[in-house]
Amino acid sequence: MANTIVSIVPVPAMVANDGSEKSAVSATVQTDGSPAQAGVNVIWDITGGDGPSSSTTDDTGVAKIEVTAKDGVATITVKASTTDDLTGKTTLITTYVPLKAPVVLNASDEDGWTLDHYDIEFGVQAEIPYYNNVKVDQEVTFYWGDAWSTSLFVTEDNLPPYILEIPAAFTVNGEYDVYYDVRDNAGNPPVSSSHLAITVDDEGSLTPVLVMPQVAEADPYINMSDVADGVSVLVNYPSMAEGDAISLYWVAYDSQGRKIEAACDTQQYDVIADQKSVTFTIEQTKFYPNGMGYEGYAEVYYTVLPAGATAKQLSETCRCLVDTVPA
C-alpha cells in the first residue's frame, strides 16, 4: 500500500513576517486512492518558517501542523511528503509587515503573556496603539480571539491610541489570539497588526501572606490637597529579594461600591539587589476620573512572584477613603 499526498492547503495563506501569526497547514493523504486511515506519518519540510517536522493523519486522512514565519522573511515554503511519496506536495505562504501589536494591560513576555486571577479581578484593558499610516475614515477592528471583537472609526476627533475594556464574560480561562486590523474606505484588503497569544489562567483567590501596603495620605481620607503630587504607596514585605516581580493594584469605588474604571491603576516593578522597599505613585489624574473628583474608597494590594518561583503571594488589602469632590 502506498500513501500519497494529494493536496496541501494553508489557512491563512498570508501571515505576519514577525512570527506572531500562525498558518494552519493541512495535507490530505490517500492510501492506494482511498482516504488514508488515522496514524499515517507525514514529513514536513519548511523553508523560511518554523513548525513541526512531522505529524500523523486523523481519521479523515488529513495531517495538520501550524507554521509561523521566521523574522523578516517574504515567503515560506512548506512541503508535505511520505516515505512512499517523496515528491509530495508544496505550498507557499506569503508574509506581510504587520502593524504595531496591541497592548494588553498586565500581560508581558516576562510572564508568558498570562493574565492571572488578580489581573482579571482588576479588569482587563487593551490598547490599540498609534499605528503607521493612520488616516481618517479607517475602520479599526479589535479581536479578542474568537470570543469578542469590536470596531470603531478613525475621525479627526477620535485618533488612536484607543483604550478598550474587555468584557468580563470573555476573560474566562483559555487562550486568545489578540490583534487588530485596519480597513480603508477604498475597499483595499485590511492590514493586520502583530498577534499576541494571551493566556487567561484564573487560579482563584489566595490567602494573604504578605503585609498590606502603606498609604500615608490615607488619614483616613485622601483629599484634594493629598493628591496634588500623587499618592505614594509603600511596599516593604520582609522577604523582599532581588528579582521579585511585584504587581500593585489600586481599585477605586464610588460611595455606592461601584467600581470606577478610570480611577483604577495597576503597576509592576522588579526588585533590584539590596532593595528593602518599593514606592509606587498613584498619579493625581486617578483621583479625578473623567475630569471630576469622586467620593468613595480605594482598595490597594499587591502580589509578588518571588525570583525563581512559579506561585504568587498575595498581600493584605489596605482600604483608603477618598474625597476629591470640591466643597
Side-chain angles (χ1 to χ4, degrees):
M1 295 187 296
N3 295 308
T4 304
I5 306 293
V6 295
S7 68
I8 181 171
V9 178
V11 178
M14 177 181 288
V15 297
N17 72 348
D18 62 354
S20 69
E21 186 178 4
K22 298 175 181 178
S23 177
V25 184
S26 302
T28 300
V29 182
Q30 288 187 352
T31 304
D32 295 336
S34 298
Q37 295 183 347
V40 174
N41 191 59
V42 172
I43 304 162
W44 299 93
D45 184 16
I46 304 169
T47 303
D50 293 307
S53 59
S54 66
S55 66
T56 57
T57 53
D58 58 21
D59 56 8
T60 67
V62 177
K64 301 176 181 179
I65 61 169
E66 291 183 327
V67 176
T68 59
K70 291 185 181 294
D71 192 33
V73 302
T75 305
I76 309 167
T77 303
V78 183
K79 175 184 174 182
S81 63
T82 70
T83 53
D84 301 319
D85 178 16
L86 297 180
T87 301
K89 297 288 184 181
T90 299
T91 190
L92 297 179
I93 302 171
T94 56
T95 72
Y96 63 91
V97 179
L99 300 174
K100 187 182 298 185
V103 176
V104 176
L105 187 66
N106 292 334
S108 66
D109 187 48
E110 287 73 18
D111 60 16
W113 302 102
T114 298
L115 299 174
D116 64 18
H117 174 74
Y118 305 101
D119 300 322
I120 301 304
E121 188 176 72
F122 179 82
V124 178
Q125 288 186 333
E127 176 186 308
I128 298 174
Y130 193 92
Y131 52 85
N132 290 338
N133 298 318
V134 171
K135 295 180 180 178
V136 170
D137 292 336
Q138 288 175 332
E139 181 182 11
V140 183
T141 303
F142 174 85
Y143 301 90
W144 184 260
D146 296 327
W148 180 74
S149 65
T150 187
S151 297
L152 48 95
F153 286 90
V154 178
T155 68
E156 292 181 356
D157 298 324
N158 186 32
L159 297 171
Y162 302 121
I163 304 298
L164 306 173
E165 302 287 342
I166 310 302
F170 305 117
T171 56
V172 297
N173 284 354
E175 295 185 358
Y176 300 88
D177 181 23
V178 177
Y179 65 100
Y180 63 93
D181 63 32
V182 177
R183 300 170 187 265
D184 61 26
N185 58 8
N188 293 311
V191 179
S192 293
S193 73
S194 292
H195 291 232
L196 297 179
I198 299 293
T199 298
V200 174
D201 186 11
D202 188 347
E203 302 172 349
S205 60
L206 301 174
T207 301
V209 296
L210 301 173
V211 297
M212 73 172 61
Q214 301 172 43
V215 184
E217 286 92 342
D219 55 355
Y221 276 92
I222 298 174
N223 57 35
M224 295 174 66
S225 60
D226 292 325
V227 306
D229 296 320
V231 170
S232 297
V233 180
L234 179 67
V235 172
N236 61 345
Y237 54 92
S239 61
M240 185 176 291
E242 181 180 5
D244 286 1
I246 303 174
S247 295
L248 180 82
Y249 299 88
W250 180 279
V251 190
Y253 302 88
D254 66 16
S255 58
Q256 302 301 312
R258 295 169 296 197
K259 189 176 178 182
I260 308 172
E261 297 288 353
C264 296
D265 195 12
T266 181
Q267 300 179 29
Q268 288 80 41
Y269 183 81
D270 292 335
V271 177
I272 62 176
D274 301 322
Q275 192 165 12
K276 301 302 181 185
S277 65
V278 178
T279 299
F280 296 89
T281 300
I282 308 301
E283 298 295 335
Q284 181 187 34
T285 55
K286 293 298 180 180
F287 297 92
Y288 296 94
N290 305 314
M292 301 174 62
Y294 76 96
E295 184 176 356
Y297 61 94
E299 292 183 343
V300 56
Y301 58 94
Y302 60 93
T303 63
V304 175
L305 180 62
T310 57
K312 290 186 176 180
Q313 299 174 346
L314 173 66
S315 76
E316 298 283 353
T317 297
C318 176
R319 180 165 169 158
C320 312
L321 298 177
V322 177
D323 186 356
T324 53
V325 178

